Amino acid sequence: MPDVDPKALFGDQARDPSEQAGLPEVSEPEAFRHYVRLSEMNFAIDNAMYPLGSCTMKYNPKVNEWAARLPGFAKLHPYAPEHLIQGALELMYRLEKGLAEVCGMDRVALQPAAGAQGELAGLMMIRAFHQAQGRSPKKVLVPVTAHGTNAASCAFNGYQIVPFPAGEDGVVHPEAIAPVLDDDVAAIMITNPNTVGLFEKHLPTIARMVHDKGALVYGDGANLNALMGRARPGDLGVDVMQFNLHKTFTTPHGGGGPGCGPVGYKRILDPYAPVPTVEKSHDGTYHLEFNRPKSVGRLRSFYGNFGMMVRAYAYLREMGAEGLKGATDLAVLNANYLRAKLGETWHVAYDTTCMHEVVINDKHLGKTGVTTMDVAKRLLDYGFHAPTVYFPLVVKGAMLVEPTETETRQALDRFVDAMSAISREAHEEPETVKKAPHLTRLRRLDETRAARKPVLRYTKKPQG
Ligand SMILES: Cc1ncc(COP(=O)(O)O)c(C=O)c1O
């Protein structure tokens, strides 16, 4: 490596190259204990129930980890020639076929590394589709209930966002779309089930309206956990959608990655799909296809987060069609069980049959001064991660509860008991809730500062 002046790279933080790095010198057991201790300070799905709505924190089956660690997958070099990676290519090919079947699309591009990047990929394909027809519509319709990434992906792709309201019943209605649907609309972005946990029952009608205007339907598939095996976005009129494999297909997530957000799309969008695609040749071998002149290009280094693809494929094969259907049924049943049970104490925002998650809020806490955030913190003392708080934005003081299919009836009951106890405390001893958590290693943190200014650098403690 050529000589580089450390000062040019690191400024005042630069270290004299002759100086020791100052890393801690510890034995293997001490290092091990350090990391185990750190892991114990964290909350994880493998410790307890994690009903973080919208995030689908479902159990990550350990057989997925076994598969992803098989040396034939884990030790592949990304530059290995195609004839040496036939197994990996076949897995990607098969995963694409499986996902396409689940969502009712013609093809699936596997590379995007997150749901949000999948959204971006889909919108880029929509733009390329319109451009190929000599059109350049500028607007995308997005309901006010949408996840923040939808608007961000539109903006990132140069689209103007046109928000429209959801009905009193929590779902979007054709009448709300008609006034904003004009010739300058490129697409509508719609999440189904939506972020308040309800099935968008007017989607087929809305899709017809949108298609009649020459626009396309983007389906945010992050909530596919409530549909897979039972309904397919492609059959409901969606043209392009992203999967969140790190939610629906049990690949681990949290802490920012690694994710995987494949994009399923209908045939009309095929020319614009990201490269490379995985193709099967006539002689039965697999190869990566880069020669796609109308493609939106490459979105990710190499082929995406391949380890996530192995895990998702393991899950698909483990579950089979019936298993996926069963998972969907249980996810919906569990959420409705909580809706009924929590509804005995808490205010349910939309008290109608929900899909895989339910929104409650802090309305009944009234003058106690206890807020949704206090409840979230107090839940940690009871051994539960909090639901998603203050989202969806359309519900004041929202708590979005998503139990997932992998929680038992006993776990759900314990959660309901904890929520009832917190409600009682809020009325009888509000300070206990307001000052929570009391039993965690660290007390209430400044979460904004923790996210914006994380302390990531090891600092050597002064000697003596
Ligand atoms: C409805 C919805 N859409 C999109 C996303 C974005 O997915 P990711 O976090 O993988 O970028 C999420 C994530 O929580 C989501 O819930």
Side-chain angles (χ1 to χ4, degrees), residues 54-55 114-117 119 147 149-150 191 195 220 222-223 242 244 246-247:
S54 200
C55 293
Q117 202 192 14
E119 291 170 26
H147 193 261
T149 49
N150 287 189
T191 311
T195 58
D220 182 330
N223 291 341
Q242 101 278 2
N244 284 38
H246 44 293
K247 299 181 181 190

Side-chain angles (χ1 to χ4, degrees), residues 288-363:
L288 294 168
E289 185 57 66
F290 288 88
N291 186 16
R292 292 181 139 249
K294 294 187 182 161
S295 162
V296 295
R298 188 192 259 291
L299 287 174
R300 184 73 174 74
S301 54
F302 302 108
Y303 327 109
N305 283 331
F306 177 66
M308 296 300 129
M309 297 173 204
V310 179
R311 289 172 174 90
Y313 184 67
Y315 179 68
L316 263 181
R317 296 308 302 255
E318 207 185 314
M319 299 294 276
E322 284 309 309
L324 292 184
K325 217 181 266 180
T328 296
D329 293 354
L330 274 179
V332 173
L333 181 67
N334 282 356
N336 278 288
Y337 183 75
L338 284 187
R339 180 178 61 82
K341 288 284 192 177
L342 291 172
E344 291 168 9
T345 312
W346 294 82
H347 183 258
V348 177
Y350 302 95
D351 205 2
T352 175
T353 306
C354 61
M355 298 296 281
H356 63 311
E357 55 194 351
V358 60
V359 196
I360 59 171
N361 65 22
D362 57 0
K363 206 170 182 175

Side-chain angles (χ1 to χ4, degrees), residues 20 375 386-387:
Q20 293 265 322
V375 175

Side-chain angles (χ1 to χ4, degrees), residues 249-264:
F249 291 85
T250 66
T251 72
H253 67 135
C260 196
V263 184

